[in-house]
Amino acid sequence: MAACLTVQAFYLQLQTNRSLTELSAQLSQAVDAETEDIQKLCDTLKSEFLLSEINPKISKALQLHLQHIEHFDEETRVAVRSSAIGEDGEELSAAGQMDTILGVKGYNEIFAAVKKCWSSHFTFSAVQYKRQHGQPINTGMGVVIQKMVHADVAGALFTNDPVTASCNTMVINANFGVGESVVSGEAEPDTFRVTYTSDQGGSDIFSIEERVCGSKQVQYVVSESGTVGKQSVSGSSVFCADDKTVLALCQIGLELERRFGHPCDIEWAICQGQIYLLQSRPITTLTQETEYELLHEFDSALAMDQELLSTMNIGEAFPGALCPLTISVVVKQIEDSMVNWSVANGLNVVPNLFRLHKVYCNHAFLNVHAYELSNKYRSSLADRRMMELALAGHVIDSMTDEVIRAYHPARPLLTRLYCSWRFFSMILGKREKCLVHEQALDKLTVPLTTSCAELLEYVNHTVDISSQVVKDYMPATAISPVYSQVLMGILTKGKHVWEAKHYTDLASLLACHINEVFSAGVPNKLEELSRLIHSHPAFAAHFLEISIESGDSFLNSKKTPAGVREAYQLFMEKFGHRGLCELDLLKKCWSQDPSQLIETLQMMVKSIATGHNVDARCYSVQEVVDGLQCDLTKGQKLFIKFILPKAKKAVNSREEVKSILVKAASKMKLGFWRLSELMYNQGYLPSPELLFFLTVTEIKDVLSNRNGSLVNRAKRRRKIYEKQNSMQFPRFNHGYPEAVDTQQDLKSLEVETELKGMPVSVGEVTGTARVVKNLSEAHTIQKNDILIVYFTDVGWAPYFPMISGVVTEQGGLVSHGAVVAREYGIPCVVSCHNATQVFQSGDTICLNGSTGVVRRLKRDNDL
């Protein structure tokens, strides 16, 4: 016998009690409250429920229903069980958090037990579980009143193995007495593992594979008076269920699984040989991904085992692991744009199979085979070595024409000539299109709405505009390496062999001062701002004392000198979209988090105050041409003078368009972060940051269905992200990359005193090495240090005025560090592998930006 109170009874009880309604509303809105305050609110609401009078309509209806149940009277013992919405589903299971009251007798006790079940809906553990899985707090609760079974044996049956997820293995836990000792975990129960198959006739065949006798030292038994009591026993070496009972339970469990259509977690009891089913819920752990699956969830497929994957160039744009949202939006935009660009240029490939970028353990890699193929076969004029210099900082010897042809057949010369014509025709006007896109981006403003659906629509619109920017960005920047190839062709006089002097001369030509490169505007304007702050001594002293968190409001306050305030606001207006890891949606830009910029400004102001600044020498075109090492004719020098301004203009155009690309990413960041805060405030997410560990499609699902399993997956992804982010990979990898143990490799590198990379900004300097592994350590940079880093992006740009040289492990001819170093006239060597491990901060080193050699002269701890 059983009676059920629906969720409507629960809602009616709330509506008829004003204090309950107000308290439940407060609890639902207590998003940012402290844990202690939430716990107090839960306790208060629970107490109010217990003290409230049950609504007469509910008590009358329940009493009337019970009276019509056969064999029920005032002496009948019943179990009153809670059954909240979403408590036991395929996605989530809050089993054990809501109350079940056993051995209840009489109407008054039943009504009291019903209120206790209702009140358990608001226990702190139940509320926190919902909050942590993005579920509404007040979801409603049903209550089931069942006649008590005076169980001799009871327990739980899993129709699939909940640990291994085996679909042909059942697991039974059982103990003497009622099942409370089993479900609560208080006792060590007997365990039976049963496998089942079907014979040729379709009959089920069960086989008990394992029996484990538990100690069963705690039991819950029903007394003669009908109450349930806990008792401790000395333990038993006798199984509480025989094989016949175990097999009968399995047969029933299989039938339930077939009827419900999913694996079941079933509570059962046996009284005088009769099996009773108490409740059934889906097993929620079967589809949960393993740690290995989460690590490799977004991995790309390989076209062949020996596909060459590299961190070159892309390691600057995407350092470290990427969050799933960035992979599903930004990486996808770039990949789709590159593939479409290659196909439009005549490359005959299947877009879904041909990928220029790969993802492994959430790290982004360039597919060198695909890049070489795209470069070689879309143009008859392209020299793959120039692309390799631009991306990797050196020629990749293993990537020969034969290797590329093995990846994709060669194309006829006429076809490549046609593709060359298409290539040049398609890049025309793309910069202007990007400028039009920038105007559209500038008009975007995050709407002040409390509707997640409206905000998601705005974010989707922002993503669409960003996709257009990425689409035109690729061809808009393609002309720059063409000019570099022309210059290299003049320097080498068309010879196939490239020597060190050719690299040095090319770096010198690109370093000549014709006009300011767009990306150099960030450090230049910051330096101007820092000098302006320093020109007001009292204000500067106060600025150096404030915290970085309050720096933005301090510079925007009316107490700030007008010129300083206006200069800061102008800088943020022009460059506020820049920052560290600019294309990673998880990482905030300067306008979102000014504290990272304030810290840099304080360091620069302090540097000026102590005389720590470096004056760069600017060389004219004539000076650079006269100083070339290559023996050139007068005509060749004249042609260089003609082509060099165009090459520099192309570099500036590339950096300008890149800034537009970063602005598009910043607009998406603003929209997604606002959406994350709104979803957090409305209880869809337990923390705003979790949104970035969902894909775009999953965000829509969470908003539409409050999918708790996706929220749980996002939490597990965020946890595994820390492990992924700590991984480091070799620069080049054949097949799937293997993470390296940097600590293990360090000992073998300690004896090294000299490394060689690619010279990208000429000059020679001897000074103190400053090895900085990440931007959070940048405050250690001192006067005229030689900065040694893994890579640089715009977040490092403010430190260039302070340093005397730069060494990076990543990068190529057109990488950020190379471009800005040339603008500042400081020596720079890129693609200097293991530099951050071989050298230590404090070492005296010599950096030769003409030969690419970095040599340690003295170790810091040498006597």
Side-chain angles (χ1 to χ4, degrees):
M1 58 137 283
C4 298
L5 283 176
T6 68
V7 294
Q8 294 304 318
F10 173 82
Y11 290 136
L12 180 59
Q13 182 70 9
L14 278 178
Q15 293 166 5
T16 54
N17 192 309
R18 184 175 179 179
S19 63
L20 291 177
T21 304
E22 292 176 351
L23 287 170
S24 64
Q26 289 179 33
L27 188 59
S28 297
Q29 297 167 7
V31 177
D32 294 317
E34 296 292 334
T35 300
E36 291 183 1
D37 295 332
I38 294 176
Q39 190 159 6
K40 289 179 181 178
L41 193 55
C42 289
D43 293 341
T44 302
L45 184 51
K46 184 178 178 181
S47 298
E48 284 291 322
F49 243 116
L50 294 174
L51 293 174
S52 65
E53 291 292 333
I54 194 167
N55 186 289
K57 291 183 179 180
I58 300 173
S59 58
K60 184 177 179 180
L62 179 57
Q63 185 171 347
L64 185 62
H65 183 81
L66 290 173
Q67 288 173 352
H68 285 80
I69 294 178
E70 187 178 0
H71 304 304
F72 176 84
D73 57 38
E74 288 272 10
E75 299 301 316
T76 304
R77 295 284 179 177
V78 298
V80 182
R81 296 175 176 269
S82 57
S83 182
I85 293 176
E87 177 184 355
D88 293 312
E90 292 187 50
E91 296 177 356
L92 299 172
S93 177
Q97 294 180 8
M98 316 295 180
D99 281 347
T100 293
I101 300 93
L102 303 176
V104 179
K105 182 179 71 172
Y107 294 121
N108 290 334
E109 287 189 19
I110 291 174
F111 297 154
V114 167
K115 289 192 296 180
K116 190 174 182 182
C117 284
W118 281 340
S119 70
S120 70
H121 189 56
F122 298 104
T123 61
F124 179 69
S125 60
V127 169
Q128 286 297 87
Y129 183 85
K130 293 175 187 175
R131 285 161 57 92
Q132 291 301 316
H133 292 84
Q135 303 302 298
I137 301 301
N138 193 359
T139 52
M141 174 187 279
V143 178
V144 180
I145 297 94
Q146 295 176 307
K147 184 178 179 180
M148 279 285 296
V149 176
H150 292 215
D152 302 315
V153 179
L157 161 65
F158 299 91
T159 60
N160 281 188
D161 191 320
V163 178
T164 66
S166 172
C167 60
N168 67 340
T169 301
M170 294 187 178
V171 178
I172 296 176
N173 292 143
N175 192 9
F176 293 111
V178 298
E180 180 66 18
S181 64
V182 176
V183 297
S184 67
E186 292 182 79
E188 181 189 357
D190 292 340
T191 300
F192 303 88
R193 297 175 64 84
V194 181
T195 60
Y196 64 93
T197 57
S198 298
D199 60 18
Q200 293 182 350
S203 299
D204 299 316
I205 302 174
F206 295 91
S207 174
I208 301 176
E209 296 295 322
E210 183 182 24
R211 304 172 183 83
V212 178
C213 188
S215 63
K216 303 183 286 293
Q217 292 180 338
V218 174
Q219 299 173 9
Y220 281 84
V221 295
V222 181
S223 67
E224 293 182 2
S225 62
T227 59
V228 178
K230 173 183 175 181
Q231 65 182 29
S232 298
V233 294
S234 59
S236 173
S237 59
V238 178
F239 285 100
C240 61
D242 58 23
D243 289 357
K244 181 180 178 181
T245 302
V246 168
L247 295 176
L249 285 169
C250 290
Q251 186 66 62
I252 294 172
L254 185 59
E255 180 63 25
L256 283 179
E257 180 178 291
R258 289 168 176 169
R259 287 176 179 264
F260 287 128
H262 56 69
C264 298
D265 170 5
I266 304 163
E267 291 185 25
W268 52 270
I270 299 176
C271 179
Q272 298 179 1
Q274 179 67 43
I275 296 176
Y276 294 89
L277 301 182
L278 306 180
Q279 70 173 32
S280 175
R281 64 172 72 89
I283 304 175
T284 57
T285 59
L286 297 179
T287 58
Q288 191 174 75
E289 300 84 356
T290 64
E291 179 178 307
Y292 180 87
E293 289 172 326
L294 287 174
L295 275 172
H296 299 279
E297 182 179 8
F298 296 97
D299 286 4
S300 305
L302 297 180
M304 63 179 187
D305 290 340
Q306 290 303 305
E307 213 165 27
L308 184 61
L309 307 186
S310 176
T311 59
M312 64 180 189
N313 186 260
I314 201 169
E316 296 183 32
F318 298 119
L322 300 174
C323 65
L325 185 61
T326 298
I327 294 173
S328 70
V329 177
V330 182
V331 175
K332 184 178 185 301
Q333 287 176 337
I334 295 175
E335 177 60 27
D336 290 347
S337 175
M338 286 295 293
V339 171
N340 293 335
W341 165 240
S342 299
V343 172
N345 276 289
L347 190 60
N348 186 22
V349 295
V350 180
N352 289 335
L353 298 179
F354 177 76
R355 312 304 287 178
L356 288 98
H357 305 88
K358 304 282 187 175
V359 173
Y360 184 79
C361 287
N362 285 33
H363 288 251
F365 296 85
L366 287 185
N367 180 358
V368 181
H369 276 90
Y371 261 87
E372 295 278 12
L373 177 64
S374 177
N375 179 67
K376 183 174 180 61
Y377 291 114
R378 75 176 174 216
S379 171
S380 62
L381 306 176
D383 189 320
R384 62 176 179 79
R385 293 177 296 173
M386 185 52 63
M387 183 201 73
E388 292 166 5
L389 281 180
L391 298 180
H394 61 86
V395 175
I396 305 174
D397 296 328
S398 63
M399 193 55 61
T400 63
D401 290 345
E402 290 74 19
V403 171
I404 300 172
R405 280 195 292 270
Y407 189 73
H408 192 283
R411 310 180 68 205
L413 177 61
L414 287 177
T415 303
R416 283 185 284 141
L417 286 171
Y418 170 72
C419 292
S420 297
W421 173 80
R422 282 181 58 85
F423 169 76
F424 285 106
S425 64
M426 290 182 67
I427 64 178
L428 297 176
K430 294 300 183 181
R431 171 183 173 273
E432 288 68 25
K433 279 193 173 183
C434 287
L435 293 175
V436 173
H437 296 322
E438 184 178 28
Q439 293 176 1
L441 290 170
D442 289 337
K443 293 178 182 178
L444 291 176
T445 303
V446 180
L448 298 175
T449 178
T450 57
S451 168
C452 290
E454 291 179 9
L455 195 53
L456 181 61
E457 184 178 347
Y458 163 81
V459 170
N460 289 334
H461 176 61
T462 306
V463 171
D464 290 341
I465 296 179
S466 176
S467 297
Q468 292 300 314
V469 173
V470 177
K471 177 183 176 182
D472 292 323
Y473 166 80
M474 300 304 173
T477 59
I479 192 62
S480 177
V482 173
Y483 281 115
S484 297
Q485 181 172 323
V486 171
L487 290 172
M488 183 62 96
I490 298 171
L491 294 172
T492 61
K493 298 181 180 181
K495 295 180 181 179
H496 185 73
V497 179
W498 292 357
E499 301 175 9
K501 64 180 180 180
H502 300 139
Y503 297 121
T504 301
D505 283 352
L506 181 60
S508 299
L509 288 172
L510 294 177
C512 74
H513 189 74
I514 297 177
N515 47 44
E516 180 182 274
V517 174
F518 194 86
S519 60
V522 174
N524 287 344
K525 292 299 180 184
L526 268 179
E527 187 174 15
E528 290 177 12
L529 179 57
S530 62
R531 291 186 180 278
L532 187 57
I533 294 173
H534 181 258
S535 67
H536 299 78
F539 175 79
H542 191 187
F543 174 69
L544 293 176
E545 293 175 353
I546 63 171
S547 67
I548 59 175
E549 291 76 19
S550 58
D552 180 66
S553 58
F554 178 77
L555 290 176
N556 280 306
S557 68
K558 294 182 179 179
K559 295 181 179 180
T560 299
V564 174
R565 183 172 63 250
E566 292 170 1
Y568 175 71
Q569 292 172 348
L570 185 63
F571 178 89
M572 291 298 286
E573 182 180 343
K574 188 173 183 180
F575 299 112
H577 62 283
R578 307 303 297 258
L580 186 64
C581 304
E582 296 175 311
L583 298 182
D584 189 346
L585 299 177
L586 178 62
K587 306 300 171 57
K588 294 182 177 180
C589 55
W590 284 335
S591 63
Q592 293 174 281
D593 181 16
S595 63
Q596 50 183 316
L597 181 65
I598 298 300
E599 185 176 20
T600 302
L601 263 178
Q602 288 178 330
M603 176 180 268
M604 295 180 74
V605 172
K606 186 177 181 180
S607 175
I608 295 171
T610 55
H612 295 186
N613 60 290
V614 178
D615 294 324
R617 167 76 193 281
C618 298
Y619 296 90
S620 66
V621 175
Q622 187 62 53
E623 287 177 309
V624 172
V625 173
D626 290 342
L628 294 176
Q629 300 178 35
C630 297
D631 184 19
L632 301 177
T633 65
K634 185 176 181 181
Q636 289 169 333
K637 290 182 178 181
L638 286 174
F639 187 70
I640 285 179
K641 291 179 183 179
F642 168 75
I643 204 73
L644 191 54
K646 300 181 184 300
K648 290 287 288 186
K649 183 178 179 181
V651 171
N652 188 63
S653 177
R654 185 193 68 241
E655 294 299 313
E656 181 184 25
V657 173
K658 180 183 177 182
S659 178
I660 298 174
L661 177 67
V662 172
K663 181 177 288 188
S666 74
K667 290 293 183 178
M668 290 192 291
K669 290 180 183 182
L670 291 170
F672 277 119
W673 272 105
R674 173 59 185 144
L675 178 62
S676 73
E677 293 163 359
L678 200 58
M679 289 178 68
Y680 168 66
N681 290 333
Q682 295 183 8
Y684 288 96
L685 297 173
S687 67
E689 191 184 60
L690 275 187
L691 177 129
F692 297 89
F693 293 88
L694 296 167
T695 66
V696 173
T697 304
E698 290 171 343
I699 292 173
K700 295 176 183 177
D701 194 350
V702 170
L703 283 175
S704 300
N705 306 311
R706 282 196 180 266
N707 192 324
S709 63
L710 284 179
V711 174
N712 191 47
R713 186 185 302 172
K715 291 162 63 178
R716 298 187 68 217
R717 285 173 179 165
R718 181 173 61 178
K719 185 176 181 180
I720 211 75
Y721 172 79
E722 301 301 327
K723 182 175 182 178
Q724 292 172 324
N725 202 35
S726 66
M727 292 179 174
Q728 293 188 24
F729 296 92
R731 202 149 183 261
F732 292 96
N733 308 267
H734 285 284
Y736 285 118
E738 292 187 12
V740 296
D741 185 348
T742 55
Q743 295 300 320
Q744 185 176 0
D745 295 340
L746 185 58
K747 292 183 178 180
S748 63
L749 295 171
E750 287 180 347
V751 296
E752 297 285 346
T753 59
E754 182 177 297
L755 295 177
K756 194 173 190 306
M758 178 186 180
V760 292
S761 185
V762 296
E764 185 174 358
V765 63
T766 298
T768 302
R770 186 63 55 191
V771 179
V772 183
K773 298 294 181 69
N774 55 69
L775 199 57
S776 64
E777 301 173 0
H779 65 276
T780 62
I781 299 173
Q782 301 295 321
K783 168 188 176 181
N784 294 334
D785 277 347
I786 298 175
L787 180 63
I788 302 177
V789 294
Y790 190 67
F791 78 100
T792 68
D793 61 8
V794 74
W796 295 88
Y799 300 96
F800 276 75
M802 300 172 56
I803 59 180
S804 59
V806 185
V807 179
T808 70
E809 291 195 20
Q810 288 273 22
L813 194 62
V814 294
S815 62
H816 174 270
V819 172
V820 178
R822 288 195 290 265
E823 289 302 305
Y824 273 83
I826 58 178
C828 180
V829 172
V830 301
S831 191
C832 192
H833 305 154
N834 299 318
T836 59
Q837 294 178 321
V838 170
F839 303 111
Q840 298 178 7
S841 291
D843 289 350
T844 301
I845 65 172
C846 177
L847 164 61
N848 192 322
S850 300
T851 63
V853 173
V854 184
R855 187 171 71 257
R856 183 174 68 234
L857 304 179
K858 181 182 178 183
R859 173 123 281 172
D860 182 42
N861 55 6
D862 288 347
L863 296 177

